[in-house]
Amino acid sequence: MDTINPGQDDKHARIWGMLCHLTALLGIIGIPFGNIAGPLIVWLLKRNVYPLVDEQGKESMNFQLTMTIFALGAALLIYFKIGFFLLFLVAGINFILVLIASIKTYSGESYSYPFKIQL
């Protein structure tokens, strides 16, 4: 029977934690609600295995739900000609913060997103 050494277990936790954030980019590449489905799937699969994944999965889901609410609000403002700019702004902020969160989580740090509505 194979056993995983503690260092390897930590590395797996960090990789899965990073994936909680990176899978949110599925929404940016055009998969409808991929920004929510990706982190949700990773979180559901590994939340009971790694505490870091449980924590970062919840953080990622909360942030992505917030970004979805902001994007829907921006989409409503397209009629007033400011919505396109706001949609690009929301997507850009989302992309940058997801990358930062992924890097920090892979390095073993807990990351907390700014600009999120605590749901």
Side-chain angles (χ1 to χ4, degrees):
M1 179 175 223
D2 292 330
T3 59
I4 298 175
N5 63 34
Q8 189 71 10
D9 196 38
D10 179 57
K11 183 177 180 181
H12 287 285
R14 290 184 293 120
I15 289 171
W16 283 105
M18 176 185 67
L19 287 174
C20 285
H21 298 289
L22 280 181
T23 54
L25 297 179
L26 293 172
I28 291 178
I29 64 169
I31 297 174
F33 297 103
N35 65 318
I36 296 171
L40 178 63
I41 291 168
V42 173
W43 178 69
L44 288 174
L45 288 174
K46 296 295 180 176
R47 68 180 174 187
N48 294 326
V49 179
Y50 303 112
L52 179 68
V53 174
D54 187 37
E55 173 194 335
Q56 292 303 298
K58 289 176 188 175
E59 186 69 26
S60 181
M61 286 292 304
N62 196 22
F63 181 69
Q64 292 307 317
L65 288 170
T66 300
M67 289 291 105
T68 301
I69 292 168
F70 289 165
L72 290 173
L76 292 174
L77 293 174
I78 288 176
Y79 179 74
F80 297 107
K81 311 241 191 285
I82 191 171
F84 285 118
F85 169 74
L86 292 176
L87 277 173
F88 283 116
L89 184 64
V90 167
I93 289 170
N94 190 10
F95 181 77
I96 291 167
L97 290 178
V98 164
L99 289 181
I100 292 169
S102 299
I103 292 167
K104 294 239 183 208
T105 302
Y106 184 72
S107 69
E109 299 176 42
S110 290
Y111 184 76
S112 181
Y113 286 98
F115 313 120
K116 70 177 185 284
I117 301 169
Q118 193 65 36
L119 300 173

